[in-house]
Amino acid sequence: MQALQNAVSQLVDNEALSVGERLEQICELLRSSITHYDWVGFYFHEDATQTLKLRAFAGEPTDHTTIPFGKGICGQVALSNQNFIVPDVSAQNNYIACSLTVKSEIVIPLFKNGKNIGQIDIDSHTPDPFTEEDVKLLEFVNQKVAEIV
Ligand code: SME
């Protein structure tokens, strides 16, 4: 886990890449390093339209590149400012399905100067895989990313 955190830090600090490229590479790194991460993406708030915009991802392309605040797991986190772990997506009413193979999801808000400005979203094909380890890792990733967005 420490090695992965170090690799994330190095990517965030790599000024040879654009911020968009760094975000994409972080998504790829997380997806390829952790077996239960099947889709990894960063959404950011667009306050004027009260929507989330997908900025970078790794995994299958999704139709859900714009999500209204309040809709789905992601939209709920935009308003609640709280981590949201979903062990079983089929048990959620307010859920936006990307693919039938997705069984679980975790969304961690990304704060800059104390303000919720976006989130990292992970989909998993494994039921109930997320633990406190994932929360710690993803909170670390978001803190680092907040330095460059
Ligand atoms: N499942 C999410 C939508 C985004 S996709 O997982 C990429 C949700 O309910 O907000």
Side-chain angles (χ1 to χ4, degrees):
M1 191 62 80
Q2 190 58 52
L4 183 54
Q5 291 193 4
N6 291 345
V8 168
S9 295
Q10 272 182 7
L11 266 177
V12 168
D13 296 337
N14 184 354
E15 292 181 359
L17 301 176
S18 70
V19 170
E21 287 167 336
R22 284 180 254 178
L23 293 177
E24 269 173 25
Q25 291 199 15
I26 292 165
C27 292
E28 292 289 355
L29 175 68
L30 293 172
R31 195 178 96 97
S32 59
S33 302
I34 301 193
T35 48
H36 59 278
Y37 291 7
D38 293 295
W39 189 93
V40 179
F42 285 103
Y43 287 93
F44 287 92
H45 293 201
E46 188 176 85
D47 288 329
T49 55
Q50 295 283 292
T51 60
L52 291 159
K53 296 284 184 189
L54 183 62
R55 180 146 175 212
F57 71 96
E60 289 294 305
T62 173
D63 290 340
H64 306 291
T65 54
T66 297
I67 298 176
F69 288 180
K71 266 206 78 185
I73 308 303
C74 295
Q76 292 178 74
V77 170
L79 299 176
S80 73
N81 309 323
Q82 306 279 330
N83 296 340
F84 199 159
I85 298 178
V86 181
D88 173 6
V89 294
S90 72
Q92 293 291 320
N93 294 324
N94 189 357
Y95 170 71
I96 304 166
C98 279
S99 140
L100 292 175
T101 53
V102 175
K103 298 284 185 275
S104 54
E105 179 161 3
I106 184 170
V107 179
I108 305 287
L110 191 156
F111 298 97
K112 189 174 177 80
N113 302 325
K115 188 171 178 280
N116 180 1
I117 62 158
Q119 54 192 236
I120 191 166
D121 175 22
I122 318 273
D123 285 347
S124 180
H125 300 168
T126 307
D128 195 10
F130 299 112
T131 68
E132 199 52 36
E133 281 273 281
D134 298 290
V135 172
K136 284 204 192 103
L137 170 67
L138 299 171
E139 287 180 348
F140 171 83
V141 170
N142 282 355
Q143 275 166 27
K144 279 302 294 180
V145 166
E147 295 173 10
I148 56 165
V149 291

